[in-house]
Amino acid sequence: MSRWKGLPESLDQRVRQLVVQLRRLKDHSGLSLVSLAARTSYSKSSWERYLNGKKLPPRDAVAALARVCDADPTRLLALHEVAAQAWGAAAAPEAGRAADPADPPDPGGGPDATVAKEGAPRPAGGPRVRTGSLVVLAALGVVVVAAVALLIVRPWQQDAAGRGTADTAAGRTAGAVPAFTHRVGETFECRLTRGPGGLSAGRSRTTTAILGSGATGWDVVEAQCLLHHHGYDPGPVDGIVGENTQRAVKRLQAGAGLPTDGIVGPDTWQVLRR
C-alpha cells in the first residue's frame, strides 16, 4: 500500500474525491508509478502530479488508469466531469494572469506535456507561458457548457407552497430554467409520485447527476425527498448536500450493498428511484 502525501488543504472537495478514488484504484492494482507510466501515455512525473492533487488529470488519463487496472471507467469519468467543473471555476480568476516565470513546465511525456521544456529559450520581454494550461482551460470551458445544457430538462418555478412546477404562464418563454436559489432557513416540500421512471418528487428527472459535498440545486432537493421516502433522514430539504445528507446517503448505500462514499451517482439514483 502506498504512503500517500496529504492532499492540499485548498483542494476542492470534488477534486479531492476524484483523486482519492484514483489512489485507491492504483493501490488495489499493485502497480507502481513507473509501471503505470509504462502502460499509459502519461509519464511517472505526470502521475505524481495527478495523484497528489497538483494537477487535474486529463479525462483520457482517468480512462487509461481504469483500463490498465481492469476497472469500469464509468464512475471515475463521472467524478472527473464534476471535478473538472470545480477545477475550471478555481482556475478562472487566474486565466488573465501571465504564468509565473518560476513555475517549471511538466517534464513528463504524454498528452499533458507542455510545449516549453527545460532549457528552451524564453520569449524576449516576458515570462514563459505554458500553452498546455490554455488547452486545459479551453477543454474545461466545453465541459461546463455541456453540463449547463444537461440541466435544461424541465422548466421550474417556485409556487407559494415552495413546490417546483412547470412554467406555463402566458408570455413566458417555454424551456427557460431559472437558476436554483436558496435563502437561509428555506426548505422545500416533498410530494412523491410513481411513474414509468420510478419514484419522483417532481423536482428533477435525473438518474445520472453526481452530487457530492457542497452540491446544490433541484437535483439535490429531489435526492433529499427520495431519501426521506426511503427512511433515511437527510435533515432539512434545503437543496444543499451537507453532512446530514451525506450520512443519509451512506446509510442508503450500505443497505443497498453499494460503496459508502456519500456521493449520489447513477447506482445510488437507481436505488432512490425504486
Side-chain angles (χ1 to χ4, degrees), residues 227 232 246-263 267-268 271 274:
L227 284 167
Y232 301 96
Q246 283 192 301
R247 281 195 292 267
V249 172
K250 288 180 180 179
R251 291 196 295 269
L252 174 81
Q253 290 171 331
L258 300 175
T260 55
D261 55 9
I263 301 173
D267 292 338
T268 304
V271 177
R274 290 176 184 170

Side-chain angles (χ1 to χ4, degrees), residues 12-229:
D12 187 279
Q13 181 64 27
R14 290 161 289 184
V15 181
R16 185 182 299 270
Q17 289 168 353
L18 171 66
V19 175
V20 168
Q21 294 301 321
L22 295 179
R23 284 181 170 187
R24 289 177 179 172
L25 186 59
K26 182 264 182 190
D27 287 342
H28 183 72
S29 70
L31 293 173
S32 66
L33 292 178
V34 174
S35 299
L36 193 57
R39 298 189 183 193
T40 66
S41 57
Y42 298 86
S43 67
K44 176 177 177 290
S45 60
S46 294
W47 282 114
E48 287 175 340
R49 287 180 172 85
Y50 303 154
L51 298 175
N52 284 302
K54 296 180 179 179
K55 188 173 183 179
L56 182 71
R59 190 177 190 275
D60 288 345
V62 174
L65 178 61
R67 183 180 66 253
V68 300
C69 296
D70 296 324
D72 184 357
T74 304
R75 174 177 170 75
L76 288 175
L77 293 177
L79 288 175
H80 180 272
E81 181 176 350
V82 176
Q85 295 178 41
W87 192 279
E94 302 295 324
R97 184 171 62 85
D100 185 345
D103 186 17
D106 183 357
D112 66 303
T114 60
V115 172
K117 299 293 182 180
E118 290 296 341
R122 301 185 183 184
R128 182 173 63 245
V129 179
R130 297 191 297 172
T131 57
S133 298
L134 299 178
V135 173
V136 171
L137 288 175
L140 290 177
V142 174
V143 171
V144 171
V145 171
V148 172
L150 288 175
L151 294 175
I152 305 177
V153 178
R154 179 179 179 180
W156 304 99
Q157 72 178 90
Q158 279 301 106
D159 61 12
R163 179 170 57 90
T165 58
D167 186 356
T168 56
R172 293 180 181 174
T173 304
V177 182
F180 175 84
T181 58
H182 178 266
R183 293 181 291 272
V184 176
E186 182 180 18
T187 58
F188 303 94
E189 183 181 1
C190 295
R191 298 183 182 180
L192 271 70
T193 59
R194 185 177 291 277
L199 279 175
S200 173
R203 306 292 184 164
S204 168
R205 296 175 180 174
T206 185
T207 57
T208 59
I210 307 296
L211 307 178
S213 176
T216 63
W218 294 118
D219 292 340
V220 178
V221 175
E222 181 80 7
Q224 289 174 329
C225 286
L226 294 175
L227 284 167
H228 266 299
H229 174 79

